[in-house]
Amino acid sequence: MVHINPKSSTREQWGDKLGFIMATAGAAVGLGNIWRFPYICGENGGGAFILAYLVCIALISGPILIAEIIIGRASGQGSGSAFISLSPKGESKLWRTVGVVGVLISFLLVSYYSIVAGWTLEYLWQALQGNLEMFSGDKSQSFFDEFMNSNPRQIFWHIFLTVMTAVILLGGINKGIEKLSKILMPVLLILLFSLAVFGVTVEWGALENPTSLLDLKSIQFLFVPDWSKFTMDSAFQALGQAAFSLSIAVGTLIAYGSYLDRKENIVNLGSMVIAMDTMVALFAGVLIFPIVFASGLNPSHGTGLIFVTLPNLFAQMPNGDILVILFYLLIFFAALTSMISLLEPGITHLIDEMSSTRPKACMYVAIASSILGVVWILVGSLQQEFLFFNIDKVVSNFLIPLEALAISIFVSWVLDKAVSKDQLSDVGMKFYNVWYFMTKWLCPIAILIILVKGLISQDMGG
Ligand code: PHE
């Protein structure tokens, strides 16, 4: 039997395909593209990492992104109940757990994602006040350290951002997510493009190494592979990044798919989202590396790259005061649309499962996420490295791959083939068979290897 949208007649839907594309691209484009991608790329052989990343997108994350939209649209439900309504009787308990775990991951993820997003607001705030001096020279590192040690400031931005996101979500799918994404995403693309063009063409008279731009060393670094820096671990990081960046396995895509009209072509829309996400990551590299190279620095500067290295460089540039504002505005917009997509699975869950009203669901999720984030900040202040090296490791290296594994197994081994065929009926059998093969064999095997390898290296203290 083919199950199609049992609740679709009463369920809100995206106004048009552009709304879905912008909202989903908004989910995908985030701190992962602008903060994480450039430095992981810098540490793992530039172009070599990009190649591995593209392969992971095409063979693993992309097919799973499509699988999740199928699950969402076919069931017309958020992650918490989508799996049960599509699974054969008897297996429901297990699949219910899988669905709920997806929602829980989004909740866990947003509770610390908003902390980093809050850092960008602090920087934007300083930039708007013209406090560029604070970022120059050694002051840049001490400003960052001092901010990291200031619990009240971090807590303020975290709660401010969480509440702001919940208020946007009060508007629902059309008037909240869709409307905002249709404005923010084009602005983000224009900002990124202009800054990237500026990054490769400007005369860096004030910087240490101004000629490097003319020979485009930085662009070469991005696109010419350096295999000597590419290790087995780089391949694992490429897969982790490909999963994180496309926002798979956290309930977001299932929830967004559940609001998608039956007549839309999932593969076309999904491909546009993937193309946009990849383009933004590459442009972020094109924007960031020339600046780093021109100042004679090393591009593999870890998490501090956009909070320590770049503000310092902006502080030394002509028109740096405007550039720094535009740069943090760009990151803030990217983070905000991702935060929206991370709070929505919990809200959809409360509405679908607990018959909650949207305003109440927004309030509960915002309060819970604010509290959890405050806990991370307080714990983090006792043990600096705690936040990213432990919670993010568990979420990105363990929970997301595990959930992605379950999704690929569900969509190919458990779900009635007639359902997925019906959902992808507009792309032809050839494509369908390739996608089906990937989710049935390639994705589970690749993810299993990653998981096992991750667990072994944990054991060995890696
Ligand atoms: N894809 C987002 C980023 O790159 C993060 C995210 C993950 C957002 C999962 C929503 C869901 O930053």
Side-chain angles (χ1 to χ4, degrees):
M1 189 185 125
V2 180
H3 315 250
I4 295 172
N5 266 356
K7 287 191 178 170
S8 61
S9 54
T10 55
R11 203 172 182 78
E12 205 183 344
Q13 285 197 337
W14 302 106
D16 52 27
K17 59 172 106 173
L18 188 70
F20 174 82
I21 295 173
M22 290 300 168
T24 314
V29 171
L31 294 169
N33 303 59
I34 304 173
W35 176 52
R36 232 185 190 194
F37 182 82
Y39 81 78
I40 301 190
C41 185
E43 287 169 349
N44 293 286
F49 179 82
I50 291 185
L51 269 181
Y53 176 78
L54 293 179
V55 169
C56 292
I57 293 267
L59 301 185
I60 299 166
S61 296
I64 295 181
L65 173 132
I66 291 173
E68 285 193 58
I69 302 176
I70 291 178
I71 293 172
R73 187 168 76 174
S75 65
Q77 312 268 306
S79 176
S81 35
F83 291 89
I84 321 173
S85 66
L86 295 175
S87 68
K89 283 199 179 75
E91 290 182 64
S92 305
K93 247 204 187 130
L94 168 72
W95 292 111
R96 176 173 177 76
T97 313
V98 167
V100 174
V101 165
V103 178
L104 287 176
I105 301 175
S106 70
F107 179 68
L108 200 59
L109 180 48
V110 75
S111 69
Y112 65 86
Y113 195 90
S114 65
I115 300 174
V116 184
W119 299 355
T120 66
L121 274 183
E122 167 79 18
Y123 276 72
L124 184 60
W125 177 243
Q126 299 294 347
L128 283 170
Q129 290 174 300
N131 290 338
L132 212 59
E133 191 36 38
M134 281 180 159
F135 302 142
S136 71
D138 293 343
K139 282 188 232 156
S140 187
Q141 183 70 50
S142 44
F143 176 80
F144 184 68
D145 292 342
E146 189 215 317
F147 176 55
M148 285 299 100
N149 287 322
S150 165
N151 290 342
R153 264 150 79 199
Q154 288 201 66
I155 290 174
F156 170 77
W157 289 121
H158 155 67
I159 296 182
F160 177 85
L161 205 54
T162 307
V163 171
M164 178 178 177
T165 310
V167 169
I168 294 167
L169 285 167
L170 278 178
I173 300 303
N174 294 127
K175 295 205 192 92
I177 307 178
E178 182 168 353
K179 206 167 159 193
L180 193 83
S181 307
K182 278 182 172 169
I183 301 169
L184 288 193
M185 288 312 286
V187 175
L188 183 149
L189 292 179
I190 293 171
L191 270 178
L192 179 66
F193 186 71
S194 327
L195 284 170
V197 169
F198 173 84
V200 274
T201 54
V202 76
E203 294 269 338
W204 303 94
L207 299 177
E208 212 168 276
N209 206 9
T211 50
S212 63
L213 284 178
L214 303 176
D215 59 25
L216 293 182
K217 203 161 108 196
S218 53
I219 304 300
Q220 267 177 25
F221 170 80
L222 255 184
F223 295 107
V224 179
D226 174 2
W227 293 106
S228 68
K229 287 213 196 116
F230 191 86
T231 61
M232 197 57 192
D233 190 56
S234 310
F236 295 123
Q237 289 201 44
L239 180 60
Q241 176 64 14
F244 185 82
S245 194
L246 287 193
S247 300
I248 63 170
V250 301
T252 292
L253 297 165
I254 297 184
Y256 279 20
S258 75
Y259 302 112
L260 182 64
D261 193 287
R262 182 64 192 83
K263 69 175 195 307
E264 304 297 355
N265 181 327
I266 292 181
V267 175
N268 278 354
L269 303 192
S271 311
M272 283 183 217
V273 170
I274 295 173
M276 247 163 113
D277 185 63
T278 310
M279 218 182 68
V280 170
L282 294 179
F283 265 95
V286 171
L287 156 65
I288 288 170
F289 288 128
I291 306 179
V292 175
F293 271 86
S295 57
L297 291 170
N298 186 335
S300 56
H301 248 218
T303 48
L305 184 59
I306 67 165
F307 292 109
V308 180
T309 313
L310 284 180
N312 178 11
L313 297 178
F314 281 127
Q316 303 169 37
M317 279 178 201
N319 297 323
D321 45 351
I322 298 170
L323 292 173
V324 78
I325 294 175
L326 297 180
F327 181 69
Y328 286 108
L329 204 59
L330 164 77
I331 305 176
F332 169 59
F333 286 168
L336 181 63
T337 46
S338 289
M339 282 214 33
I340 290 174
S341 76
L342 281 166
L343 280 186
E344 182 57 32
I347 293 169
T348 299
H349 185 73
L350 293 181
I351 296 173
D352 284 352
E353 299 277 299
M354 320 268 176
S355 315
S356 179
T357 59
R358 182 164 273 275
K360 272 197 182 148
C362 290
M363 190 175 78
Y364 294 145
V365 171
I367 291 176
S369 175
S370 297
I371 295 175
L372 191 58
V374 170
V375 172
W376 300 140
I377 293 172
L378 295 180
V379 176
S381 70
L382 300 177
Q383 196 198 340
Q384 276 286 331
E385 309 269 88
F386 182 81
L387 189 60
F388 300 107
F389 297 98
N390 290 320
I391 314 166
D392 187 44
K393 231 187 199 166
V394 173
V395 171
S396 307
N397 299 352
F398 182 66
L399 292 177
I400 290 183
L402 200 64
E403 182 74 6
L405 175 68
I407 291 168
S408 64
I409 291 176
F410 180 83
V411 83
S412 52
W413 293 89
V414 179
L415 182 69
D416 185 349
K417 214 171 164 183
V419 177
S420 52
K421 248 189 205 155
D422 175 57
Q423 291 291 327
L424 294 187
S425 56
D426 27 23
V427 289
M429 271 321 273
K430 243 194 207 141
F431 182 92
Y432 176 81
N433 287 334
V434 173
W435 170 82
Y436 189 75
F437 173 80
M438 287 185 187
T439 51
K440 188 160 188 164
W441 297 107
L442 204 64
C443 302
I445 293 172
I447 299 169
L448 256 180
I449 296 174
I450 302 285
L451 268 171
V452 171
K453 142 87 181 104
L455 288 177
I456 293 172
S457 63
Q458 287 290 323
D459 275 355
M460 296 189 312

